Amino acid sequence: MKFFRLLVLLAISVGLMACAVSDDPSQGGLSDGLAGLITGTYDKRVEERESNLAAIKQAQADALSEQTNLKRDKVETEAEAVALQAEFETLSKKNDFLSAKIDNIEAITAEDKAKKARLKTSLTSLKKKINKAKRSAGKSSKGLASAKAKENKLKKEIKKLEEEIGLLEP
């Protein structure tokens, strides 16, 4: 009888050993579960998953930090765009003032009349440039840099015209 029990136990053991062993606890049965606990496979899987979770949480924290930085940059860029639009508006008003000033200058000689006409044409051209710059001043950092460069150039042109108009005034 003992021999028979031993034979049955041996047959069951061989049968269980012949089954495929899985590292995944959801796929295995009792023997796989015991094998996973004894060999430490389950602990390795838990550590691996915890490591993956920590990496995902770090990536999420990094993404949130970047999002916060981008939002801050967007607010700063929008504020710069508003300030730049105000500068263009100031340039436009200055241009209008100079145009009115030219209209009030009494041109006596033919040379003065030609200068006055040239200055009026220059102011009209400058007005178009200012309006174009106002429209093209984007809200991106690249667009703002370009618009600031245009603003500086337009300021120089207005300054030059102011000086020329001053020479025409009596």
Side-chain angles (χ1 to χ4, degrees):
M1 186 75 139
K2 281 188 172 188
F3 178 71
F4 180 69
R5 283 187 185 167
L6 187 58
L7 188 61
V8 169
L9 190 56
L10 183 61
I12 290 174
S13 297
V14 169
L16 288 176
M17 290 173 135
C19 295
V21 178
S22 172
D23 289 347
D24 189 354
S26 65
Q27 301 295 321
L30 176 63
S31 63
D32 287 345
L34 292 174
L37 287 174
I38 292 170
T39 61
T41 306
Y42 289 169
D43 290 335
K44 288 177 188 174
R45 284 175 53 88
V46 168
E47 288 175 13
E48 184 180 301
R49 292 208 174 175
E50 286 175 348
S51 172
N52 288 344
L53 178 62
I56 290 170
K57 285 185 178 182
Q58 182 60 45
Q60 183 182 25
D62 292 345
L64 286 174
S65 175
E66 184 176 348
Q67 181 184 22
T68 301
N69 291 339
L70 289 173
K71 283 181 180 179
R72 185 190 67 242
D73 290 348
K74 179 183 175 194
V75 169
E76 289 172 0
T77 301
E78 287 173 348
E80 286 179 34
V82 168
L84 196 55
Q85 287 295 333
E87 282 294 321
F88 283 132
E89 196 59 40
T90 301
L91 289 174
S92 182
K93 287 178 182 177
K94 196 175 233 185
N95 188 72
D96 293 342
F97 173 75
L98 291 175
S99 183
K101 202 171 186 179
I102 287 175
D103 290 339
N104 291 333
I105 292 176
E106 195 72 33
I108 299 171
T109 66
E111 185 181 336
D112 287 346
K113 287 180 184 177
K115 282 183 183 178
K116 183 177 175 180
R118 186 185 54 76
L119 287 172
K120 194 71 171 163
T121 303
S122 294
L123 282 171
T124 303
S125 172
L126 188 60
K127 180 74 169 182
K128 288 178 184 176
K129 288 179 185 178
I130 290 170
N131 288 335
K132 184 179 178 184
K134 279 171 43 175
R135 285 190 306 272
S136 68
K139 295 194 180 197
S140 69
S141 297
K142 189 176 183 180
L144 283 176
S146 173
K148 284 181 183 181
K150 288 177 186 175
E151 174 200 15
N152 290 331
K153 184 177 179 185
L154 292 171
K155 281 182 177 181
K156 288 177 184 176
E157 287 184 43
I158 283 197
K159 180 96 170 141
K160 182 180 175 187
L161 288 172
E162 283 178 320
E163 290 170 1
E164 289 183 41
I165 291 170
L167 293 176
L168 275 180
E169 291 181 317

